[in-house]
Amino acid sequence: NWCRFINLLMKKQKNRLIKNIMRINSELLKEVEKYVSDLIVEKSSENLTYHTIAHTRLVVKNAEIIGENENLNEEEMNILRVSAWFHDTGYVKKYQGHEAESMAIAVNFLESKDVDKDIRDIVSGCIMATIFPYRPTTKIAEILCDADMMHLGNSSYFELAEKLRQELANSGIRKLKKVEFEKESVKLFKNHSYFSNYCLGETAKRKAENLKLLNESIVNRERKKQISIEKEKRYSRGVDSMFKLTARNQINLSSIADNKSNILISLNGIIISLGLAGLATKFQEEPALILPTVIFIVFSLSTIILAILSTRPNISPSKFSRDDIKPKKINLLFFGNFYNMELEEYEWAIKEMINDDQYLYSTMTKDQYSLGKVLARKYKLLRWAYNVFMVGIVVSVIAFLLVFLQL
């Protein structure tokens, strides 16, 4: 009798459950779809680009496909459908922790429709199982979790993933660059696994292909980033033009200085020759001319000496080795720094320089600086030469005038 009573009670409970499930099938299912659709469309934030009504419909469709392949009965299928419809409704209230809000929305709706508590508990369990990492305790919950992440093994994964990345940024959750998001996605792929036999088949294979594509995309993006960094390190054509223009200007200035020095040397050489030839014959007749002549010759000689010093080349006697070149401080473009080197050593040093843009441009900068220092010394001596020549002419003329006036 006791066993009969228990069997009768279980039969009544089962009939009650079936009755409620049938009510879901015939009366509630369309109401659930309309309620959830209106709720998400009307109350979802504009920042949600991934968790839209389209995503919910896709999860419901995925759940139905998996459920049918997993041979769920009609009762289980309807519970799965309701759970799939409600599983992301919590996003209308909050982003993080939306699962609890989704469960509350589902329970309130089902209570308003007098759905049995056992069914409400199953739906609640399925929704809460979608918290990642997934820990479903029932077959229905496992299928819902697989349906929710079925896009990992979908051909449109990358399009959907980009929408999710934008959603995270727009919602203020996490603002990730594409390569960063892809790296996080790789972690998700590795930590995630399907539960149903259906998803462990073809879906898992496509998921593995997407993971491979993700890794390739990360490698390509990092390669492009490295190339971009290397390009940033390189200097523009404007820099090359600047170096060429500066070098040309310095060479022109050096040539002008040499020409001016040659003029002074030639002019004073002629003056000394003619002065000595013309005045030396008169020294015995006019001894007073000796002093002005000596003054004139001294100033002319000083001018010539300064002019010669300004054009005299200065070659460094240094000899550099590989150990001196490795710190990248030697100017390999100035002949005075490498004429003592062996050809093999110099070829090695040049290869080291041209394969390193920073070293190359640093060397060019040093070369320009060295040319500038030489040019400054040259013009400084040339200025002194002109000053001496000018003062010498004035003093010599005054001396000769004084002598002629005394005579």
Side-chain angles (χ1 to χ4, degrees):
N1 291 335
W2 180 251
C3 292
R4 288 181 180 179
F5 175 75
I6 293 176
N7 289 333
L8 181 62
L9 183 63
M10 290 179 65
K11 186 175 181 181
K12 288 182 179 180
Q13 182 68 19
K14 183 177 180 181
N15 290 335
R16 182 186 175 192
L17 180 60
I18 292 173
K19 182 180 178 181
N20 279 292
I21 292 174
M22 291 302 293
R23 285 185 61 195
I24 291 176
N25 182 46
S26 61
E27 300 174 14
L28 286 184
L29 203 55
K30 290 183 179 180
E31 292 184 42
V32 167
E33 179 178 354
K34 185 177 185 307
Y35 174 78
V36 172
S37 298
D38 293 342
L39 179 66
I40 294 176
V41 171
E42 294 174 5
K43 295 189 178 182
S44 288
S45 170
E46 294 179 355
N47 295 329
L48 299 180
T49 55
Y50 175 76
H51 291 100
T52 60
I53 186 60
H55 167 72
T56 299
R57 293 184 188 279
L58 181 62
V59 172
V60 173
K61 181 180 178 182
N62 292 339
E64 290 176 343
I65 293 172
I66 300 171
E68 290 174 0
N69 281 273
E70 293 295 313
N71 299 317
L72 293 187
N73 58 40
E74 189 63 24
E75 301 173 4
E76 295 169 328
M77 285 293 295
N78 282 310
I79 294 176
L80 178 61
R81 290 186 181 103
V82 171
S83 302
W85 276 111
F86 278 103
H87 85 286
D88 273 345
T89 52
Y91 277 105
V92 301
K93 293 187 176 182
K94 60 192 297 187
Y95 200 96
Q96 294 178 319
H98 67 275
E99 294 88 358
E101 296 292 340
S102 300
M103 181 187 69
I105 293 171
V107 169
N108 290 336
F109 178 84
L110 296 176
E111 279 183 346
S112 68
K113 302 300 179 180
D114 296 324
V115 176
D116 189 83
K117 185 178 182 302
D118 293 337
I119 298 176
R120 298 200 306 266
D121 290 343
I122 296 173
V123 171
S124 299
C126 289
I127 294 174
M128 294 305 293
T130 60
I131 299 175
F132 195 83
Y134 298 146
R135 294 185 179 87
T137 56
T138 64
K139 188 173 183 179
I140 299 176
E142 289 179 351
I143 293 174
L144 179 60
C145 292
D146 283 358
D148 193 28
M149 298 296 281
M150 199 170 171
H151 68 285
L152 297 182
N154 195 292
S155 58
S156 61
Y157 163 75
F158 290 94
E159 178 184 350
L160 297 173
E162 177 59 21
K163 290 182 179 180
L164 178 58
R165 186 182 74 87
Q166 293 176 358
E167 178 179 293
L168 291 172
N170 296 338
S171 302
I173 305 302
R174 292 187 72 183
K175 192 171 184 179
L176 299 172
K177 295 181 179 179
K178 288 187 177 182
V179 67
E180 295 172 337
F181 181 77
E182 287 177 347
K183 288 180 179 179
E184 292 294 324
S185 298
V186 168
K187 294 180 182 178
L188 172 65
F189 269 72
K190 291 181 178 179
N191 292 330
H192 171 265
S193 59
Y194 288 117
F195 300 99
S196 62
N197 292 327
Y198 176 81
C199 287
L200 288 172
E202 290 299 319
T203 305
K205 290 180 181 179
R206 289 195 297 268
K207 175 188 169 186
E209 292 174 1
N210 286 340
L211 176 58
K212 182 180 178 181
L213 292 174
L214 262 178
N215 286 319
E216 291 176 355
S217 177
I218 292 171
V219 171
N220 291 333
R221 290 185 190 280
E222 290 182 341
R223 185 184 295 115
K224 289 179 181 179
K225 182 180 179 181
Q226 185 62 32
I227 292 173
S228 177
I229 292 172
E230 290 176 357
K231 285 183 177 179
E232 289 178 359
K233 290 180 180 179
R234 296 175 184 173
Y235 297 89
S236 65
R237 292 183 179 180
V239 177
D240 294 336
S241 300
M242 180 270 292
F243 277 113
K244 291 178 182 178
L245 181 62
T246 305
R248 188 181 300 116
N249 290 338
Q250 290 194 355
I251 291 171
N252 291 336
L253 289 173
S254 180
S255 179
I256 293 170
D258 291 340
N259 290 334
K260 290 181 181 293
S261 297
N262 290 332
I263 292 172
L264 286 178
I265 293 170
S266 300
L267 178 60
N268 282 276
I270 293 171
I271 290 173
I272 290 173
S273 300
L274 294 177
L276 288 175
L279 296 174
T281 57
K282 297 183 179 181
F283 285 166
Q284 292 180 354
E285 299 175 5
E286 302 292 340
L289 293 174
I290 295 175
L291 181 59
T293 302
V294 170
I295 293 173
F296 183 66
I297 292 173
V298 168
F299 274 103
S300 294
L301 284 173
S302 299
T303 301
I304 291 173
I305 292 170
L306 290 171
I308 292 173
L309 288 174
S310 69
T311 58
R312 186 179 68 173
N314 183 24
I315 301 177
S316 172
S318 303
K319 182 177 180 180
F320 299 103
S321 64
R322 293 196 178 197
D323 293 334
D324 297 319
I325 294 171
K326 285 180 180 179
K328 303 178 182 180
K329 295 181 179 180
I330 306 302
N331 178 14
L332 296 172
L333 300 180
F334 179 57
F335 76 97
N337 289 342
F338 62 76
Y339 76 99
N340 280 328
M341 296 176 64
E342 297 295 332
L343 177 59
E344 293 181 358
E345 291 288 323
Y346 182 65
E347 287 180 340
W348 170 84
I350 289 296
K351 287 179 181 178
E352 288 289 310
M353 182 179 69
I354 62 178
N355 289 329
D356 187 338
D357 283 348
Q358 289 187 333
Y359 184 21
L360 175 60
Y361 282 97
S362 175
T363 301
M364 292 173 67
T365 303
K366 291 185 180 73
D367 189 57
Q368 295 291 348
Y369 180 78
S370 300
L371 287 174
K373 295 290 285 186
V374 171
L375 198 59
R377 177 181 176 276
K378 182 175 290 190
Y379 270 88
K380 185 177 181 179
L381 290 171
L382 189 58
R383 180 181 177 83
W384 274 103
Y386 271 93
N387 289 338
V388 169
F389 179 71
M390 179 181 65
V391 172
I393 289 291
V394 173
V395 173
S396 299
V397 170
I398 292 173
F400 276 110
L401 286 176
L402 291 175
V403 170
F404 284 123
L405 288 174
Q406 290 178 358
L407 295 176

